[in-house]
Amino acid sequence: MENNELLKRGEDLARRCENKGCLTSTGFLTPAEQYALAHDAELRFSRMVFRGGHEDFERGMAFFLPDYMEEAELKESEHIRAIKLTAAFGEPAHRDYMGAVLGMGVNREWVGDIIVDGCTAYVLCQPSVLRHLLSIDKVGRCGVRAEEIALSELPHKARQSEERSFTLMSLRLDALCSGMFRISRTEAARQIAAGNVSLNYTECLKGDRSVKEGDIVSLRGAGKGRLKELGGSSKKGRLFVTAEIFK
């Protein structure tokens, strides 16, 4: 979804929530779309939360809460369902499950994360397509058995990450990229110019772009990380920073 369309949709949902006093929500959004909504000035005063059916979700729905509803009262199970697909043999890949799901004629925004664990996969989806997706009986060349499970039955895998501490002369994207991914400043600048670096899920071609605490940086082929914390500065004026690298 184009950003302008996404933001307009979000503003409409926020307005409807406020005017009618009812809970409203988007479909499942990519991390980039979630970031765009979360940082849209028109929506910052809305009571908006993201949910994806499990703790470490990537694709999530934006929910706009009416004044009378507390965040803890939002029941994910009423808006997000989980399907367990078990292969009779073999271990289909994520792309195979994605192909099977989209091959059912389901829009991508109606489906959240697909978590693959060996011969089993877990598909998060909206209730409106649950019954349809439960009819999946083949993924790739493998026969599968589909069943609905509670969100609480989803496997919990803590996100693996590594902290890296280093210093920067300035809070620039090329400097941060160099420290996070342990490459030279020159190589970082080259990768940025080549379009291989994203800042907050959006391609960025400017090495001198300012960065701040909480920013997400990814380098194609090297991974993704977050500027976790800004510390003090050294006697020579270099800034102490800590980054979290996702594995």
Side-chain angles (χ1 to χ4, degrees):
M1 187 183 299
E2 294 293 332
N3 264 11
N4 288 341
E5 180 184 351
L6 170 68
L7 298 180
K8 181 179 179 181
R9 174 62 173 158
E11 289 162 12
D12 287 344
L13 289 169
R15 193 175 302 112
R16 187 190 310 169
C17 172
E18 181 179 355
N19 293 340
K20 296 187 176 182
C22 63
L23 178 72
T24 59
S25 66
T26 65
F28 285 98
L29 306 172
T30 66
E33 290 170 333
Q34 293 172 54
Y35 183 88
L37 268 189
H39 290 78
D40 179 32
E42 296 297 322
L43 296 174
R44 287 180 183 173
F45 299 104
S46 300
R47 302 180 66 237
M48 178 176 62
V49 296
F50 294 97
R51 293 288 185 272
H54 64 113
E55 185 176 350
D56 293 318
F57 65 89
E58 288 195 3
R59 296 184 67 92
M61 299 171 64
F63 291 90
F64 299 89
L65 308 181
D67 290 338
Y68 63 82
M69 178 181 286
E70 297 298 327
E71 186 174 335
E73 296 178 277
L74 175 61
K75 297 180 180 179
E76 284 185 73
S77 60
E78 294 181 357
H79 307 279
I80 302 174
R81 300 295 178 83
I83 297 171
K84 179 181 179 181
L85 297 173
T86 306
F89 64 90
E91 297 185 1
H94 185 278
R95 64 177 179 273
D96 298 317
Y97 287 104
M98 181 65 71
V101 169
L102 298 184
M104 299 292 288
V106 174
N107 288 344
R108 188 64 182 94
E109 66 181 285
W110 299 339
V111 179
D113 289 346
I114 298 178
I115 307 165
V116 180
D117 185 11
C119 63
T120 303
Y122 303 87
V123 180
L124 283 301
C125 68
Q126 293 187 332
S128 59
V129 296
L130 173 67
R131 186 173 298 277
H132 191 48
L133 293 181
L134 282 172
S135 66
I136 294 176
D137 58 8
K138 191 173 183 180
V139 173
R141 297 183 178 181
C142 302
V144 298
R145 177 170 57 87
E147 59 181 316
E148 182 182 7
I149 62 171
L151 296 181
S152 59
E153 296 180 64
L154 290 169
H156 175 68
K157 290 186 176 181
R159 175 180 287 178
Q160 299 296 311
S161 63
E162 172 191 349
E163 284 195 358
R164 292 179 184 172
S165 298
F166 47 91
T167 62
L168 302 176
M169 279 299 296
S170 59
L171 291 174
R172 291 169 43 123
L173 178 60
D174 54 2
L176 178 61
C177 190
S178 172
M180 287 179 67
F181 302 110
R182 294 174 175 169
I183 58 178
S184 69
R185 182 81 168 265
T186 300
E187 177 62 13
R190 190 184 73 80
Q191 292 290 345
I192 292 169
N196 294 327
V197 175
S198 292
L199 175 61
N200 295 321
Y201 307 102
T202 302
E203 180 185 287
C204 183
L205 300 175
K206 297 182 178 181
D208 61 354
R209 176 69 62 84
S210 296
V211 293
K212 61 185 182 304
E213 195 171 276
D215 279 350
I216 303 291
V217 177
S218 59
L219 171 60
R220 190 172 300 159
K224 178 172 66 175
R226 175 173 66 96
L227 176 51
K228 183 177 181 180
E229 184 178 17
L230 297 175
S233 58
S234 68
K235 292 182 179 179
K236 294 184 178 181
R238 295 186 65 89
L239 304 170
F240 293 105
V241 302
T242 300
E244 180 181 18
I245 309 300
F246 306 132
K247 294 185 177 181

